Amino acid sequence: MCFRSFGDRVNYWATFNEPNVAVIRGYRSGIYPPSRCCPSFGNCTAGDSTTEPFIAAHNVILSHSSAVHLYRTKYQKTQGGSIGIVMNCLWYEPFSNSLEDKLAVERALSFYMNWFLDPIILGKYPAEMKEILGDHLPAFSKDDMEKLKNGLDFIGINHYTSFYAKDCKFSTCEPKAGASKTEGLSLRIAQKDGLFIGEPSEVDWIYVYPQGMEKIITYIKDRYNNTPMFITENGYGYKEKPNFKREDLLNDVKRVDYMRSYLDAIATAVRKGADVRGYFAWSLLDNFEWISGYTERFGLYHVDYATLKRSARLSADWYRQFIANETKQCQSVFKEADVK
């Protein structure tokens, strides 16, 4: 229906946004609807965290391939658009220089992101997942494999932060999230020797680690033959502060520093050959942030929820000037090239 109704105006289609987050939090930890999990993984009334995430993910992959197949065969030639998928993409650093922790990084990436991208682009689940999960991974039929050959035109990357990965396959880990077989026997942690991987933010899952942006882009470039990429989400959040003065709420210096460093990391990856086609900040406006509701603010513009008044933060002014400066530099480069 969307292809038929809007395809003459939509140039880029994403079949799913962050299906890995929806599957993991909906069917493993149960903190998102439909809230299914085992007691050892979360507080749910029903579910099996060791099998259901892989069934749900398999269905996501099949529905993506069906949508792409439909678009390719019926609409793309006349409409001229592109179709892809958007993944939440974390970067991981090894907890130590040991071979075991370096392998834990590969498992962490495979059980989080490659889980979806490998079947869609390479036609099969990651080897790390097959080795650990065996028959718990659903199989693709011959018809499925034919549709998977359609792949995608671009990869959307939602990247905010990075973590350490610690081996739990060859080492003993405390029983906590990340240490089980269903999570690749790779423990995700934010601290090492009492220090966080990057400066913590007010949002408890964001640590400022801009080099992770360059590294995740480079990893995706190398693994997936430099498929065109878009940074579809990147941003910095603050907690709601109802008693703060308006001018303090608009002076988001840490967001400016975050965006500057992450955009510089993207530019470094592009200079090294990564085919990044665009960047989208999260977000233009403060908004409803999933299960956090209105308690977290990611907007370049502050929104007064009582009056709906929108006010430009420091980050909005900085980003506007950043775009203007980059545009001038690009125009100068192209002009010089034309003269030569």
Side-chain angles (χ1 to χ4, degrees):
M1 183 182 292
C2 288
F3 295 151
R4 185 173 63 247
S5 302
F6 307 114
D8 59 332
R9 285 155 286 169
V10 174
N11 294 322
Y12 296 94
W13 297 94
T15 55
F16 287 91
N17 177 61
E18 297 190 346
N20 50 341
V21 174
V23 164
I24 290 169
R25 296 193 167 195
Y27 293 89
R28 180 178 293 155
S29 64
I31 60 176
Y32 283 3
S35 301
R36 293 184 62 83
C37 64
C38 295
S40 58
F41 284 81
N43 184 22
C44 304
T45 57
D48 184 348
S49 301
T50 65
T51 59
E52 289 185 7
F54 306 108
I55 297 169
H58 197 74
N59 288 330
V60 167
I61 293 164
L62 293 180
S63 56
H64 164 87
S65 68
S66 292
V68 172
H69 178 75
L70 174 65
Y71 188 65
R72 290 258 202 269
T73 56
K74 193 171 181 179
Y75 296 98
Q76 190 171 39
K77 186 176 180 179
T78 56
Q79 295 179 354
S82 299
I83 190 165
I85 195 168
V86 176
M87 300 298 300
N88 185 272
C89 302
L90 297 172
W91 178 249
Y92 299 90
E93 295 287 1
F95 187 76
S96 73
N97 288 324
S98 70
L99 174 60
E100 290 80 7
D101 283 345
K102 291 176 181 177
L103 292 173
V105 167
E106 284 301 319
R107 294 198 304 277
L109 289 165
S110 286
F111 274 75
Y112 192 73
M113 178 184 70
N114 306 344
W115 178 8
F116 292 79
L117 291 180
D118 270 26
I120 291 169
I121 299 173
L122 305 179
K124 57 185 178 181
Y125 282 116
E128 294 86 355
M129 296 189 77
K130 289 183 177 179
E131 178 188 349
I132 292 175
L133 298 172
D135 293 339
H136 282 299
L137 273 178
F140 294 109
S141 68
K142 288 184 178 180
D143 183 58
D144 296 337
M145 296 299 293
E146 280 300 310
K147 287 185 177 180
L148 284 171
K149 289 180 180 178
N150 285 310
L152 42 66
D153 299 316
F154 67 87
I155 301 168
I157 298 172
N158 291 355
H159 176 78
Y160 293 84
T161 194
S162 301
F163 291 90
Y164 293 111
K166 188 176 187 297
D167 170 62
C168 296
K169 183 178 182 183
F170 303 100
S171 309
T172 301
C173 292
E174 295 179 10
K176 61 173 69 174
S180 70
K181 285 179 65 175
T182 187
E183 294 150 301
L185 299 171
S186 178
L187 181 63
R188 179 199 299 178
I189 43 180
Q191 291 188 67
K192 182 171 71 170
D193 300 328
L195 298 175
F196 288 101
I197 190 170
E199 181 186 355
S201 70
E202 294 179 10
V203 177
D204 61 8
W205 52 270
I206 293 182
Y207 304 92
V208 181
Y209 191 74
Q211 52 267 57
M213 175 67 91
E214 179 192 346
K215 290 181 178 182
I216 192 65
I217 291 172
T218 301
Y219 179 88
I220 292 172
K221 171 181 77 75
D222 293 341
R223 190 176 184 92
Y224 302 115
N225 196 31
N226 209 9
T227 296
M229 292 169 271
F230 289 87
I231 308 305
T232 37
E233 283 186 28
N234 174 243
Y236 186 91
Y238 289 87
K239 283 293 186 181
E240 168 74 332
K241 301 179 182 70
N243 298 321
F244 269 48
K245 294 180 180 179
R246 181 175 176 276
E247 52 268 30
D248 294 329
L249 297 175
L250 301 183
N251 191 32
D252 57 344
V253 175
K254 288 190 174 182
R255 179 177 285 118
V256 171
D257 291 340
Y258 176 96
M259 291 183 68
R260 181 187 290 114
S261 63
Y262 274 70
L263 283 162
D264 184 62
I266 296 168
T268 300
V270 171
R271 284 193 292 270
K272 292 180 180 179
D275 189 0
V276 179
R277 304 287 180 93
Y279 171 89
F280 295 85
W282 186 266
S283 170
L284 174 68
L285 305 170
D286 292 331
N287 63 82
F288 189 85
E289 292 286 344
W290 290 68
I291 60 173
S292 298
Y294 294 106
T295 65
E296 295 175 356
R297 291 180 176 266
F298 279 81
L300 303 184
Y301 281 77
H302 175 271
V303 178
D304 184 326
Y305 293 132
T307 65
L308 299 186
K309 180 181 178 181
R310 305 172 182 183
S311 304
R313 289 191 168 103
L314 176 66
S315 57
D317 295 331
W318 175 84
Y319 192 39
R320 182 188 299 111
Q321 190 59 49
F322 173 87
I323 293 171
N325 290 342
E326 292 299 312
T327 301
K328 288 178 182 177
Q329 290 182 23
C330 289
Q331 288 173 342
S332 176
V333 170
F334 289 133
K335 185 176 181 181
E336 181 181 344
D338 289 340
V339 170
K340 289 181 179 179

